Amino acid sequence: MTIRGQLTKDDFLEFQRLNLRQSKFVDCGNTLIYFFFLSLLAVLGFLEKDLVGKWMYYLPLFAILLIIPFLHLVYLPLKWRQFYKQDRELSLPVDIELGEKEIVTGNSVGKAARAWKDFRKWKENDRLLLLYLAENKAVPLPKRFFSQQELAFVYERLRSHNVPKAKPFSAFTCVTFAVVGLAALAAGIAAAMHILLQIIQ
């Protein structure tokens, strides 16, 4: 079966958001940044009695917390729009052929055939289905291109070739590993200092 469609600017932006939003590295990194700075503010609030009165000294900490929302809401969408505008090939009509063993995508520039078994994982939301060949290389399939029957065929092919759905990000797991890692690091530093003091004495 062959499907024809066109990747719009909104499709491309949603593709980038979905790819970024469900990236374990990005999500875990963002969580750890917030966890670290909120923990730091909590410690400062406990140690510093006049934290409110000295708010100007701690303003840079609050500014850092605003960097991530700025990146996600302003800077990155702007860069993605510019990239879509500059790369003319992205807006060309695309043909998608769904076969038993492979999926073929192509436009007026060329075609690419990819076996279902070559995909490492897949992600989705209500608008897009992403088929990953590598951690940061995916084939975007806007769901509006497909009928329910055609989407069911794609899911069946992924399932029959044991292509796993990407696991959702767990903030609790990320923070837990961070706390355990910091505790282990602190224990290692304490042990090293103890040994060093024994040698000096």
Side-chain angles (χ1 to χ4, degrees):
M1 60 186 78
T2 302
I3 298 96
R4 187 173 180 83
Q6 188 170 6
L7 192 72
T8 65
K9 180 173 64 177
D10 290 338
D11 291 330
F12 183 72
L13 292 177
E14 187 64 23
F15 162 45
Q16 296 295 343
R17 291 191 189 101
L18 179 59
N19 182 50
L20 189 65
R21 189 182 307 127
Q22 297 190 8
S23 167
K24 292 182 179 180
F25 175 78
V26 173
D27 286 343
C28 192
N30 291 344
T31 300
L32 291 180
I33 289 173
Y34 278 116
F35 176 76
F36 172 77
F37 281 103
L38 291 176
S39 300
L40 182 59
L41 288 174
V43 172
L44 289 174
F46 178 77
L47 297 177
E48 179 59 67
K49 296 181 180 180
D50 192 23
L51 182 62
V52 177
K54 299 179 179 178
W55 64 272
M56 291 189 63
Y57 295 102
Y58 302 105
L59 190 60
L61 290 177
F62 291 99
I64 291 174
L65 292 177
L66 295 176
I67 290 177
I68 294 176
F70 174 79
L71 287 175
H72 284 267
L73 300 176
V74 180
Y75 178 76
L76 288 177
L78 180 62
K79 297 297 290 184
W80 294 334
R81 287 187 179 94
Q82 291 177 345
F83 186 83
Y84 180 85
K85 185 177 181 180
Q86 292 170 359
D87 193 339
R88 300 286 185 179
E89 186 178 343
L90 289 172
S91 60
L92 293 175
V94 60
D95 293 318
I96 303 171
E97 300 175 22
L98 303 176
E100 293 291 332
K101 295 184 178 180
E102 64 182 10
I103 177 173
V104 181
T105 58
N107 53 31
S108 58
V109 177
K111 286 187 176 183
R114 301 173 177 94
W116 293 108
K117 63 181 179 62
D118 290 339
F119 292 110
R120 295 181 54 187
K121 61 181 179 180
W122 59 277
K123 297 178 183 177
E124 68 174 341
N125 60 14
D126 58 339
R127 293 179 56 183
L128 286 178
L129 178 65
L130 304 185
L131 308 182
Y132 280 81
L133 291 161
E135 187 61 32
N136 290 307
K137 182 181 180 181
V139 178
L141 302 177
K143 289 184 177 180
R144 60 185 174 82
F145 288 4
F146 303 89
S147 66
Q148 291 297 322
Q149 181 181 1
E150 290 164 342
L151 272 178
F153 177 82
V154 173
Y155 291 131
E156 189 277 329
R157 289 291 84 199
L158 293 171
R159 184 169 54 253
S160 66
H161 287 85
N162 299 315
V163 181
K165 184 175 183 179
K167 295 181 180 179
F169 164 72
S170 172
F172 176 79
T173 302
C174 181
V175 172
T176 300
F177 276 112
V179 171
V180 172
L182 289 174
L185 179 62
I189 293 175
M193 291 181 64
H194 177 73
I195 294 173
L196 183 61
L197 288 175
Q198 291 289 339
I199 294 175
I200 294 174
Q201 294 176 355

